[in-house]
Each structure stands twice: as C-alpha cells, then as structure tokens.
Amino acid sequence: QVYVVFSEELKCWCRALVESVRCQVDGYQLSCFLVDFAKYCSVPSQSIRVLAGAFAKIPHRAKKCRLHCTKPLTLHIDYCENTAKIGPAKRWDTAAIQHFRKLLE
C-alpha cells in the first residue's frame, strides 16, 4: 500500500512504500521507498498519512528493479602476494555504481 510521508531531505510530502518499521525510544521509525523520487528515507511514525483516493491511482514515477543475472564484482588485492584479482562481492562498489549511472545518462 502506498502512503504519504514527509521527507525532511526534500522538505515536502511524498508518496512512499513502507519497507520496514523499527521501534525506538521515542516512537516508531519507518524505512520508506519514495516512489516518485526513487530514494530511500527514514521517517518517524508521526510523519505518515494515508493516501487519499484519487492520488492513489496516479502511477509511480520510479520502480524498483534489478539487473537480471548481474552480480556485483570487486577488486581483491592481496598485499602479501602483490596480486590483484576481480572476484565476487556482497555489494556493488561505489565506483561501479557511479560508472553505471554515467552509462544511463
């Protein structure tokens, strides 16, 4: 379900999908995906509202997606043997993400 949350970073109300809820001392913290900005943010539970009827029907501008069968790689450096090899990684390197964004532009 799509909700409306107030993004402190963007200083406006945005449509969002709630990813997870964390309990904190001062209330609940929601991890959200902003469907019109393709950004993730964290907001307090006081900053969430139910989306009104007509606005819920507007299509999202951003969609979560993945590259099919594409796994992250990284450069593994062995200082003892003075070698460097490309191998699998758990996450994408920052340089790889920047390169991919440049390709998209």
Side-chain angles (χ1 to χ4, degrees):
Q1 183 175 350
V2 179
Y3 295 93
V4 178
V5 298
F6 187 78
S7 169
E8 290 291 334
E9 179 186 349
L10 300 172
K11 303 289 185 221
C12 65
W13 289 91
C14 309
R15 294 185 302 161
L17 294 171
V18 177
E19 298 280 319
S20 65
V21 180
R22 292 186 317 270
C23 184
Q24 294 186 334
V25 176
D26 58 344
Y28 292 96
Q29 196 73 15
L30 310 166
S31 296
C32 300
F33 176 72
L34 305 180
V35 297
D36 293 319
F37 296 95
K39 288 186 173 200
Y40 289 92
C41 71
S42 186
V43 296
S45 58
Q46 297 86 0
S47 297
I48 188 169
R49 305 287 186 271
V50 175
L51 189 59
F55 293 108
K57 296 178 183 174
I58 298 172
H60 304 161
R61 293 178 57 197
K63 294 191 187 275
K64 288 192 260 178
C65 60
R66 294 182 180 187
L67 297 174
H68 181 69
C69 294
T70 304
K71 307 259 187 214
L73 297 174
T74 190
L75 186 63
H76 296 283
I77 299 172
D78 187 345
Y79 292 106
C80 296
E81 295 183 19
N82 199 21
T83 60
K85 297 178 184 175
I86 293 179
K90 292 180 182 176
R91 305 191 81 180
W92 288 99
D93 289 340
T94 305
I97 294 169
Q98 290 173 352
H99 178 68
F100 183 70
R101 286 183 178 160
K102 286 179 186 176
L103 290 174
L104 288 176
E105 291 174 358

